[in-house]
Amino acid sequence: MPLFRLYCQRCREYFKVFLPLSKAKEGASCPSCGQKVFDPSLGVVQEQVRPEGSGASCTLPQRG
């Protein structure tokens, strides 16, 4: 299920929500105020989710 980043104009804040593609055109309710929000120009957020305790690190080596 894709993760969408939406902007609530009432709250003036972004929020992220998982939506099935079949429901994406319907948008989502803002978690703060409940207003229905959808801005198709924002598209899908791609974030890598790793399981807890996987030991993987996302830090870059230090230059020295």
Side-chain angles (χ1 to χ4, degrees):
M1 197 172 343
L3 177 66
F4 288 87
R5 181 176 183 230
L6 304 177
Y7 181 76
C8 178
Q9 291 186 3
R10 184 183 293 168
C11 295
R12 296 183 181 165
E13 292 184 4
Y14 288 96
F15 65 95
K16 294 177 185 174
V17 63
F18 285 102
L19 289 174
L21 290 176
S22 61
K23 302 279 185 184
K25 291 183 180 180
E26 298 172 20
S29 296
C30 172
S32 296
C33 71
Q35 177 175 318
K36 195 72 159 183
V37 176
F38 183 72
D39 184 349
S41 66
L42 293 175
V44 176
V45 176
Q46 293 183 349
E47 290 188 349
Q48 185 174 350
V49 179
R50 64 175 189 174
E52 266 188 57
S54 66
S57 175
C58 61
T59 58
L60 296 174
Q62 296 290 323
R63 286 187 167 185

